[in-house]
């Protein structure tokens, strides 16, 4: 066996960890010898988040050791720091987080007011970690009526209330808030709680208007910038965090008005004329950084503890509703993909919480002895197995890695399905619906009545779609027709109030997919796409490995697919059940081997790595298909992922003698996953039950009906009002990947992948570019 | 002269002076003199008039009575935490670049504009 060593000097963040481990041990020895071990989120360098092991000594004098429940993310601030935006001075490696809730575990000497077991909210040194050592003056016992999730935002609410106080807001004052992010929403609620007068919220887009329902007026600068001049607010609170927000705040202020600078504007305001800016209207510009809130009250200002107590009282009285602001409750182990989303500028993230209760107790909070060496670090330095051919078989895989899909429905009742299109795949879907405990097959439709009868069984069979959609006993329609018909049938079904599943791909092109998604959204019905193969146990295990950071940063992905289609495929598919040549034409199928076969693997890859493609460079060919076939039978594409990883996609359906062989390889900074049978993986990370650097496999995995699992999960989501796990947007994303492949092949150059989030981000950046700041 | 006194009165009003606070007045025009007199008039209120102070440590209130905007930017850079800065005279068309984040926000300054109703 060949082996390799990673030199300590290039081992990522090794020195930092070593130093911290050493300091924790030294401190621990003088405080009784125990060491507390937990899990923390850290940023090794700009743009990258990771999960690691945290070691803390017992609390010193005046300190409290807290076991955290939830920690609050401040999206604007953390995005700015992690992206190293201008004006930030983040030092990496960095440990983010500054507010959360938990339970007191140990108390240092000199702390009288707290008891072990108290539910508390903490600020300042409570990072995104399962354990924290916090100064007692920043630990506040929670009143019984206050929920942990609400109080986790304590620091942000204190900041907001401090801003309102600095601006000397009085009852009845007209308030304008520039910026509609998390702090802006909190300021809005606080303005209500302290009975300010009319409140106007001013934002660069209408995206957060729904959240701001408590405001009397909402101004969308992109639509009605002139409205700012009519606001005439006694007090303006700036929480936008860009230099462009200041001129807006000035325009919104009434003469003699006060403007509180609460957001971190991070940047230079160019060509400021102080006469226009402040003097003519006699405005006051008031800096409201939280450092201004002293520990001891002065004549003009209250102390930090006073404000914190006031905030907790407001929470106890339910005068603030933090629940409506939480868009994401994140498992801390999934922090890397979460931060990737945040970094890319996903504006859907308003308030987010890391939920440390989801972390296994062993990794969340454990007592060890200071004399022990940090085992994970020793393992990291050990040699690793470079030969992936003969993995060790794990006889009892840990449950977090190889859980079976939850195929037991939770919501009561059963969803009643109708199948439209009764060819070969319909037979499989009918069997899957019949096997699912929370689904019934009540009807089927096909232009060929014989086929419809065959699939419907005892149920209703028809040749007319209207007849099927008019039935009250049909809740959901499963569309198994040629790809170009997905949209028209799906739209009709949605308008009839039926939930929709389309067989993969979502449509035969991207525009058609968008129309189908819009129709389902407008009709308020669920939409899902038949990417059922993501439910196979090895795919889920691979996702778990990536999610837990066990392969580290994604470096590359390789997909190779071999199919050997018989010539009859283009006339009657694999099963010969129906006869139609739709598979032979781009007009009807939308493509060849990529769309018809590889799209399943594309969804699996996207599901595992949690990233979209950004650029593709591809070549397609029709090299050995029968006369009249105009869809590709071979495709090769080089592609780039969001996180910078490079991938290759190859597929052929004229691979003579190599039928249905699929290989997926996912390579990361700290490990690798190989998905062609037998499934195997290797990680350099220290994790319970697995040796670092050794290749593992599962041996024979239990057989699993992925189609049935898909139906069960879809029905359960619909019955309990959730979005299906495989959403219309997932289907669209894969369609966008494939569209980029075809476009690249057609144009003979690399093309960008259409990504709604990317577009929104580009637009947002363009909107705040200096060139347009004059309008803002 | 009426204008000078009116402006001084408004500036004093906005400054919310408290007993014992150190005052700095920057400028050399009639308004500067009027402000110096006004602050000195108050019983028990020590005032400092300096045109080129070496240090601003301990200064609570800074009246800026100069039409040079770069002076204002320099004052913002050097002002101690929590200082109140009162902009008394016009800068006319002159402009300057300002980092409000590092100065006003982080140091919790208060920057107040004062003008006469006629010029508003």
């Amino acid at each position: 066996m060949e082996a390799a060593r990673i030199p300590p000097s290039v081992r990522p963040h090794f020195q930092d960890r070593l130093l911290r481990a050493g300091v924790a041990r030294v401190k621990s020895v003088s405080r009784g010898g125990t060491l507390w071990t937990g899990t923390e989120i850290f940023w090794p360098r700009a743009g990258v988040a990771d999960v690691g092991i945290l070691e803390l000594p017992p609390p010193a004098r005046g300190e409290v050791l807290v076991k955290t429940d939830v920690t609050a993310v401040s999206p604007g601030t953390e995005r700015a720091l992690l992206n190293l935006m201008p004006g930030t001075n983040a030092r990496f490696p960095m440990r983010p987080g500054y507010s959360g809730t938990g339970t007191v575990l140990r108390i240092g000497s000199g702390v009288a007011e707290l008891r072990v077991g108290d539910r508390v909210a903490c600020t300042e040194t409570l990072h995104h970690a399962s354990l924290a050592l916090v100064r007692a003056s920043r630990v506040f016992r929670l009143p019984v009526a206050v929920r942990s999730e609400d109080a986790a935002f304590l620091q942000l609410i204190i900041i907001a209330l401090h801003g309102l106080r600095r601006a000397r807001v009085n009852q009845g004052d007209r308030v304008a808030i520039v910026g509609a992010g998390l702090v802006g929403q909190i300021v809005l609620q606080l303005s209500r709680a302290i009975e300010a007068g009319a409140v106007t919220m001013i934002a660069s887009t209408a995206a957060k208007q729904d959240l701001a329902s408590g405001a009397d007026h909402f101004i969308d600068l992109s639509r009605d910038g002139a409205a700012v001049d009519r606001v005439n607010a006694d007090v303006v609170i700036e929480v936008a965090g860009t230099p462009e927000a200041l001129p807006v705040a000035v325009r919104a202020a009434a003469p003699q008005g006060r403007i509180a600078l609460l957001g971190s504007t991070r940047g230079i305001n160019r060509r400021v004329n102080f006469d226009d800016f402040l003097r003519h209207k006699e405005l006051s510009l008031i800096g409201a950084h939280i450092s201004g809130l002293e520990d001891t009250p002065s004549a003009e200002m209250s102390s930090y503890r006073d404000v914190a107590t006031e905030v907790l009282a407001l929470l106890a009285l339910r005068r603030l509703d933090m629940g409506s602001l939480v868009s994401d409750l994140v498992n801390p182990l999934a922090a890397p993909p979460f931060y990737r989303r945040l970094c890319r500028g996903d504006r859907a993230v308003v308030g987010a919480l890391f939920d440390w209760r989801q972390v296994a107790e062993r990794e969340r909070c454990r007592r060890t002895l200071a004399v022990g060496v940090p085992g994970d670090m020793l393992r990291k330095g050990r040699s690793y197995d470079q030969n992936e051919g003969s993995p060790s078989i794990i006889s009892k895989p840990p449950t977090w890695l190889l859980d079976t899909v939850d195929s037991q429905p939770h919501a009561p009742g059963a969803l009643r399905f109708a199948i439209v299109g009764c060819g070969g795949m319909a037979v499989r879907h009918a069997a899957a619906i019949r096997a699912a405990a929370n689904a019934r097959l009540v009807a089927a439709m096909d232009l060929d009545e014989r086929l419809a009868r065959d699939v419907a069984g005892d149920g209703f069979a028809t040749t007319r779609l209207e007849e099927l959609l008019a039935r009250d006993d049909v809740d959901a329609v499963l569309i198994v027709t040629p790809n170009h018909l997905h949209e028209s049938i799906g739209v009709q079904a949605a308008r009839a109030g039926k939930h929709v599943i389309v067989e993969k791909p979502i449509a035969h092109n991207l525009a058609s997919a968008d129309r189908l998604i819009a129709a389902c959204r407008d009709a308020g019905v669920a939409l899902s796409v038949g990417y059922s193969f993501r439910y196979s146990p090895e795919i889920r295990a691979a996702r778990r490995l990536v999610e837990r950071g066990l392969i580290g940063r994604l470096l590359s992905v390789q997909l190779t697919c071999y199919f050997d289609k018989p010539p009859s495929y283009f006339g009657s598919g694999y099963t010969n059940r129906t006869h139609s040549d739709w598979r032979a034409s781009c007009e009807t199928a939308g493509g060849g081997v990529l769309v018809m076969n590889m799209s399943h693997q594309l969804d699996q890859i996207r599901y595992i790595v949690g990233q979209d493609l950004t650029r593709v460079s591809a070549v397609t060919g029709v090299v050995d298909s029968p006369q009249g076939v105009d869809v590709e039978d071979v495709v090769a594409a080089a592609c780039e992922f969001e996180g910078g990883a490079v991938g290759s996609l190859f597929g052929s359906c004229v691979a003579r003698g190599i039928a249905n062989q699929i290989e997926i390889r996912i390579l990361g900074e700290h490990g690798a996953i190989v998905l062609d049978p037998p499934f195997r993986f290797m990680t350099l990370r220290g994790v319970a039950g697995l040796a670092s650097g050794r290749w593992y496999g599962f041996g024979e995995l239990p057989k699993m009906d992925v189609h049935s699992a898909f139906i069960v999960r879809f029905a359960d989501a619909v019955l309990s009002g959730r979005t299906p796990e495989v959403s219309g947007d997932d289907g669209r994303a894969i369609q966008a990947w494939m569209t980029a492949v075809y476009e690249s092949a057609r144009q003979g150059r690399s093309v960008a992948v259409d990504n709604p989030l990317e577009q929104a981000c580009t637009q947002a950046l363009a909107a705040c570019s200096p060139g347009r700041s004059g309008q803002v | 002269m009426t204008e000078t006194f009116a402006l001084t009165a408004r500036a004093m009003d906005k400054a919310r002076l408290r007993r014992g606070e150190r005052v700095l007045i920057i400028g050399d025009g009639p308004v500067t003199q009027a402000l110096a007199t006004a602050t000195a008039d108050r019983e028990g209120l020590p005032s400092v008039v300096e045109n080129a102070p070496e240090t601003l440590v301990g200064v609570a209130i800074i009246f800026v009575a100069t039409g040079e905007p770069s002076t204002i930017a320099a004052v913002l850079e050097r002002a101690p935490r929590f200082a109140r800065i009162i902009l008394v005279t016009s800068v006319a068309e002159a402009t300057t670049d300002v980092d409000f984040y590092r100065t006003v926000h982080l140091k919790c300054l208060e920057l107040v504009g004062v003008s006469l109703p006629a010029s508003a």
Side-chain angles (χ1 to χ4, degrees):
Chain A
M1 188 211 301
E2 281 179 76
R5 261 188 100 78
I6 312 177
S9 55
V10 297
R11 238 170 275 155
H13 345 299
F14 185 82
Q15 292 97 336
D16 178 59
R17 264 282 281 135
L18 191 68
L19 183 71
R20 283 162 49 86
V23 169
R25 274 163 184 74
V26 170
K27 284 186 177 169
S28 160
V29 166
S30 64
R31 296 177 199 167
T34 49
L35 198 64
W36 294 87
T37 308
T39 302
E40 67 170 1
I41 293 167
F42 69 106
W43 298 343
R45 58 180 171 276
V48 180
D50 213 334
V51 181
I53 294 168
L54 169 74
E55 289 169 329
L56 291 176
R61 186 177 172 78
E63 278 184 342
V64 179
L65 179 70
V66 174
K67 177 178 168 186
T68 44
D69 288 334
V70 282
T71 56
V73 178
S74 170
T77 310
E78 295 194 28
R79 180 187 293 126
L81 286 170
L82 187 52
N83 279 346
L84 255 185
M85 273 151 76
T88 55
N89 50 357
R91 287 222 189 91
F92 297 96
M94 185 174 171
R95 283 158 182 87
Y98 43 81
S99 187
T101 52
T103 316
V104 173
L105 208 56
R106 286 287 184 277
I107 297 171
S109 58
V111 181
E113 63 275 24
L114 291 163
R115 298 275 169 275
V116 168
D118 277 351
R119 283 172 70 232
V120 290
C122 316
T123 57
E124 271 186 6
T125 50
L126 182 120
H127 302 306
H128 294 315
S130 63
L131 295 170
L133 276 177
V134 192
R135 259 202 299 161
S137 64
R138 292 293 182 264
V139 182
F140 306 92
R141 195 186 290 122
L142 289 185
V144 179
V146 175
R147 301 189 317 145
S148 276
E149 287 82 355
D150 293 347
F153 290 98
L154 181 63
Q155 174 76 350
L156 283 178
I157 309 175
I158 290 174
I159 287 174
L161 187 56
H162 172 62
L164 286 168
R165 286 282 146 78
R166 280 282 285 166
R168 304 190 289 278
V169 178
N170 298 313
Q171 258 187 23
D173 274 353
R174 279 162 307 176
V175 173
I177 304 164
V178 183
L182 181 56
V183 183
Q185 303 294 343
I186 295 173
V187 170
L188 170 59
Q189 293 194 12
L190 282 171
S191 305
R192 284 279 165 261
I194 62 174
E195 294 172 359
V199 181
T200 306
M201 184 163 253
I202 303 170
S204 53
T205 68
K208 305 259 163 70
Q209 186 162 4
D210 291 348
L211 281 176
S213 55
D216 298 282
H217 308 284
F218 187 93
I219 296 176
D220 170 5
L221 287 173
S222 65
R223 294 224 178 121
D224 189 14
V228 174
D229 296 311
R230 300 189 291 273
V231 174
N232 257 326
D234 301 308
V235 173
V236 184
I237 312 285
E238 178 281 322
V239 282
T242 61
E244 290 79 18
L246 271 182
V248 176
V250 166
R251 282 168 54 202
Q256 311 284 330
R258 301 177 295 281
I259 302 170
L261 277 187
L262 189 55
S264 305
T265 48
R266 289 195 191 90
I268 312 284
N269 279 79
R270 301 287 172 197
R271 304 180 59 79
V272 175
N273 177 278
F274 282 103
D275 282 11
D276 295 341
F277 204 70
L278 294 179
R279 279 192 67 249
H280 287 166
K281 284 210 272 186
E282 295 202 300
L283 304 179
S284 301
L285 189 65
I286 304 168
H289 189 257
I290 188 64
S291 63
L293 195 52
E294 305 286 350
D295 279 334
T296 45
S298 68
E300 253 194 8
M301 290 193 303
S302 35
S303 75
Y304 190 95
R305 180 159 286 271
D306 290 345
V307 179
T309 310
E310 197 174 341
V311 167
L312 291 175
L314 286 172
L315 286 172
L317 293 169
R318 296 275 188 269
R319 303 287 290 274
L320 299 174
D321 170 27
M322 298 308 297
S324 63
L325 303 179
V326 177
S327 58
D328 294 79
L329 192 64
V330 184
N331 182 337
L333 300 176
F338 169 77
Y339 276 113
R340 213 155 37 230
R341 192 152 72 88
L342 193 70
C343 269
R344 279 159 53 208
D346 185 348
R347 302 283 153 172
V349 180
V350 185
L353 291 171
F354 285 115
D355 186 356
W356 298 91
R357 296 165 300 198
Q358 293 184 32
V359 176
E361 191 60 27
R362 197 186 137 73
E363 290 175 49
R364 185 177 170 202
C365 173
R366 197 154 45 94
R367 261 183 90 166
T368 53
L369 286 176
V371 289
V373 286
D376 64 303
M377 285 167 57
L378 286 187
R379 268 199 298 276
K380 253 187 170 178
R382 246 175 34 187
S383 58
Y384 60 90
D385 188 352
Q386 280 193 309
N387 180 3
E388 43 100 15
S390 47
S392 318
I393 303 298
I394 313 176
S395 51
K396 264 198 192 153
T399 43
W400 62 263
L401 181 58
L402 199 63
D403 64 337
T404 43
V405 181
D406 186 3
S407 52
Q408 289 308 308
H410 297 280
L415 200 66
R416 295 163 300 180
F417 279 89
I419 291 181
V420 175
C422 295
M425 269 313 291
V427 176
R428 274 215 237 171
H429 284 304
I433 294 172
R434 292 198 171 103
N438 58 354
R440 310 258 176 287
L441 181 60
V442 292
M445 177 262 156
D446 195 289
L447 294 177
D448 184 334
E449 195 182 350
R450 190 180 48 83
L451 292 176
R453 278 234 171 86
D454 179 38
V455 166
D458 300 338
F460 173 77
T462 177
T463 57
R464 294 180 54 228
L465 182 65
E466 312 82 74
E467 223 172 80
L468 183 109
L469 295 180
R471 290 183 69 90
D472 289 336
D473 65 348
V474 173
D475 302 315
V477 172
L478 175 49
I479 301 166
V480 203
T481 62
N483 299 343
H484 68 298
L485 301 175
H486 286 181
E487 179 200 342
S488 67
I489 298 173
V491 169
Q492 288 178 64
R495 288 191 184 142
K498 314 295 185 198
H499 302 289
V500 177
I501 301 178
V502 291
E503 181 45 87
K504 62 91 225 174
I506 185 168
H508 64 305
N509 62 44
L510 203 52
S512 176
D514 282 336
R515 290 191 294 268
L516 177 58
I517 291 170
C520 289
R521 191 182 50 226
D522 294 346
V525 299
L527 170 63
S528 185
V529 185
Y531 288 118
S532 40
F533 285 98
R534 64 157 75 166
Y535 286 107
S536 43
E538 58 268 40
I539 298 296
R540 290 169 63 84
R543 180 178 157 102
R544 290 292 171 89
L545 290 168
V546 174
E547 228 174 41
R548 290 210 155 198
L550 293 184
I551 67 158
R553 187 165 55 94
L554 184 68
L555 301 180
S556 64
V557 175
Q558 182 203 349
L559 167 67
T560 312
C561 300
Y562 302 100
F563 306 97
D564 188 356
K565 286 181 184 170
S568 62
Y569 172 85
F570 291 102
S572 53
Y574 278 123
T575 60
N576 296 321
R577 184 174 154 87
T578 55
H579 297 276
S580 160
D581 59 358
W582 69 271
R583 293 177 185 84
S585 162
C586 274
E587 296 288 301
T588 45
V593 61
L594 182 69
V595 164
M596 299 300 291
N597 311 94
M598 289 166 72
S599 59
H600 276 302
Q601 281 72 45
L602 298 183
D603 180 69
Q604 288 176 334
I605 288 172
R606 184 170 175 273
Y607 177 70
I608 292 168
V609 304
Q611 295 186 28
D612 264 306
L613 294 184
T614 51
R615 289 201 80 75
V616 173
S617 187
V619 178
T620 60
V622 190
V623 293
D624 193 23
S625 285
Q627 196 73 42
V629 172
D630 76 353
V631 296
E632 88 283 354
D633 52 19
V634 60
V635 55
C639 49
E640 188 185 292
F641 285 81
E642 283 162 345
V646 172
S648 91
L649 315 170
F650 171 83
S652 165
C653 60
V654 288
R656 304 303 175 214
I658 323 176
N660 300 327
Q661 189 162 316
I662 290 158
E663 296 164 9
I664 301 176
R665 295 185 175 214
I666 293 166
L667 311 178
E669 202 177 357
H670 303 303
I673 305 168
V674 177
L675 276 153
D676 46 271
F679 172 87
R680 52 206 186 274
F681 68 93
M682 184 277 286
T683 173
L684 292 167
R685 290 286 165 89
V687 55
L690 300 174
S692 158
R694 185 184 297 172
W695 280 92
Y696 284 106
F698 294 134
E700 196 69 31
L701 284 173
K703 282 273 171 284
M704 135 127 224
D705 180 356
V706 291
H707 297 297
S708 189
F710 174 84
I711 294 291
V712 171
R713 304 297 295 157
F714 174 84
D716 198 48
V718 168
L719 291 171
S720 51
R722 282 178 281 124
T723 307
E725 284 166 359
V726 187
S727 67
D729 289 338
D730 289 342
R732 187 200 187 277
I734 297 306
Q735 196 74 36
W737 290 21
M738 299 190 298
T739 304
V741 168
Y742 290 132
E743 265 309 293
S744 166
R746 193 178 65 78
Q747 299 178 19
R749 60 182 184 84
S750 93
V751 300
V753 177
D754 180 317
N755 179 335
L757 202 57
E758 213 74 31
Q759 282 173 3
C761 188
T762 315
Q763 281 165 10
L765 283 175
C768 56
S769 71
R772 288 183 52 188
S773 58
Q775 303 166 20
V776 178
Chain B
M1 280 314 268
T2 322
E3 202 170 279
T4 304
F5 289 125
L7 201 56
T8 306
R10 283 191 87 79
M12 290 298 289
D13 186 34
K14 284 273 184 186
R16 309 194 317 280
L17 245 71
R18 281 193 300 269
R19 186 174 289 267
E21 284 184 319
R22 274 191 80 192
V23 180
L24 169 72
I25 305 165
I26 298 175
D28 49 12
V31 180
T32 316
Q33 290 307 317
L35 279 167
T37 317
T39 47
D41 275 355
R42 300 210 171 179
E43 199 184 339
L45 195 82
S47 71
V48 181
V49 183
E50 291 175 62
N51 281 324
E54 286 305 307
T55 170
L56 300 187
V57 172
V59 175
I61 293 161
I62 306 167
F63 290 102
V64 183
T66 159
E68 180 47 59
S70 60
T71 308
I72 304 175
V75 167
L76 287 176
E77 289 292 333
R78 296 174 55 191
R81 285 172 64 76
F82 298 110
R84 304 198 289 284
I85 301 159
I86 321 291
L87 307 179
V88 188
T89 47
S90 170
V91 295
E93 300 294 308
T95 62
T96 184
D97 295 348
V98 188
D99 186 342
F100 287 106
Y101 167 62
R102 258 187 338 99
T103 56
V104 177
H105 177 65
L106 283 186
K107 293 198 283 184
C108 305
L109 305 179
E110 190 166 340
L111 189 61
V112 185
V114 174
S115 66
L116 289 178
S119 68

